[in-house]
Amino acid sequence: MIHESAHGPTTAAPPPAAIGAPEVIRRVQTLAEYRECVALQEETWGEGFSERVPASVLLVSQKLGGVVAAAFQGERMVGFVFGMTGPMHGRLVHWSDMLAVRPEARGSGIGERLKRHQRELVRALGVETMHWTFDPLVARNARLNLVRLGARATEYVPNMYGAGTGSPLHGAMPTDRLVVTWDLTRDDAAPRDASEGPTVRIEVPHDVHALPPEQRAEWRAVTRAAFLEHLARGYRIVAFRRGDGDALPYYELARDAFTEDDA
């Protein structure tokens, strides 16, 4: 399944009562709230989104150590996060599968607060590591995941979920993803890795969803080739930068030492 996102198609403005109401973040509790999570998936990724998680699966996952938590302003759900807990390589880990925030609530830090709430819930189970994926072309999500939360990008997977999700947000583009690892034993964001070796930059658009499909496809092809080449040569992603002024945001990759293929 998919998908960490803070983006989605534009929707109508919220009811006036929701604006400025106190924010509460808690586990989803009722069937109506689980169904609202499904509605929010469709609002974010489109009604034809084939990978949406039904209310019944959300409910059962939470009974078995998973997390379905939501942010509310008044009675209105403005965002939710969903993840599953289970063994990986002999250790208990949590895989965060979905994060969605309504358009009117983006930029307010709700996505980050949902992730941190999720973190505390799974730490109580003894989980020390959380994983999830995000589209490397979405600069806003890269900043949230790698800078604000301090997770580390550990793997690049081409077309991880296929190109037929039915979401207008994904379109016909391959769903390339970076897999991230979040160390839950640390209370601070991970510091930038030090390296005395060579570094490279891989630039991404300010807003990939604002680009026409052909330009998105070009960005996907060029950045995929760059990530795969440099990761295969021993580079690692050590930072994400917003870029100054009109400069494009970029990933910084580093390697500890020169090898023969640098000559």
Side-chain angles (χ1 to χ4, degrees):
M1 287 180 288
I2 307 185
H3 304 270
E4 295 285 331
S5 178
H7 293 270
T10 301
T11 60
I19 299 175
E23 178 190 300
V24 175
I25 295 179
R26 59 167 174 79
R27 284 186 185 270
V28 169
Q29 298 172 346
T30 67
L31 182 57
E33 290 176 352
Y34 283 111
R35 288 173 174 166
E36 183 64 15
C37 291
V38 177
L40 185 47
Q41 292 176 59
E42 294 177 347
E43 179 181 318
T44 302
W45 290 285
E47 292 184 1
F49 182 45
S50 63
E51 303 296 324
R52 63 186 177 278
V53 183
S56 59
V57 174
L58 295 173
L59 187 155
V60 171
S61 295
Q62 183 140 256
K63 289 181 178 294
L64 298 177
V67 170
V68 187
F72 297 86
Q73 289 180 338
E75 296 183 358
R76 179 174 171 80
M77 182 184 293
V78 293
F80 88 99
V81 66
F82 162 60
M84 299 160 284
T85 304
M88 177 183 287
H89 308 307
R91 297 170 56 239
L92 193 64
V93 303
H94 186 78
W95 190 283
S96 184
D97 189 57
M98 284 183 166
L99 172 67
V101 177
R102 292 193 192 276
E104 73 270 12
R106 293 176 195 148
S108 63
I110 286 178
E112 180 179 350
R113 290 193 289 277
L114 280 166
K115 295 294 291 187
R116 294 193 181 280
H117 184 75
Q118 180 183 26
R119 167 196 177 106
E120 294 311 309
L121 291 175
V122 299
R123 283 182 69 175
L125 299 176
V127 174
E128 297 182 348
T129 304
M130 188 187 299
H131 301 281
W132 66 88
T133 68
F134 73 96
D135 187 339
L137 291 181
V138 181
R140 181 176 180 177
N141 288 351
R143 178 166 174 76
L144 168 63
N145 296 327
L146 305 185
V147 180
R148 297 191 62 84
L149 296 177
R152 294 176 182 269
T154 53
E155 184 181 5
Y156 186 100
V157 183
N159 202 25
M160 184 167 182
Y161 304 112
T165 68
S167 171
L169 194 61
H170 301 149
M173 273 216 311
T175 51
D176 289 26
R177 294 293 182 267
L178 281 172
V179 179
V180 302
T181 299
W182 199 15
D183 183 355
L184 305 187
T185 65
R186 300 180 58 118
D187 291 326
D188 58 332
R192 181 189 181 281
D193 290 348
S195 174
E196 297 180 357
T199 62
V200 297
R201 295 183 179 185
I202 299 179
E203 295 180 333
V204 295
H206 287 289
D207 184 0
V208 68
H209 296 300
L211 300 178
E214 61 273 12
Q215 289 187 25
R216 295 188 208 178
E218 291 173 3
W219 274 104
R220 176 69 83 215
V222 171
T223 55
R224 174 194 284 183
F227 275 114
L228 292 179
E229 176 188 352
H230 287 92
L231 292 175
R233 291 172 57 192
Y235 285 81
R236 65 192 185 281
I237 299 168
V238 297
F240 182 79
R241 311 292 187 190
R242 281 195 285 189
D244 297 323
D246 295 331
L248 291 172
Y250 63 91
Y251 295 85
E252 184 175 337
L253 285 73
R255 191 172 54 180
D256 286 332
F258 287 95
T259 57
E260 292 182 359
D261 64 0
D262 293 301

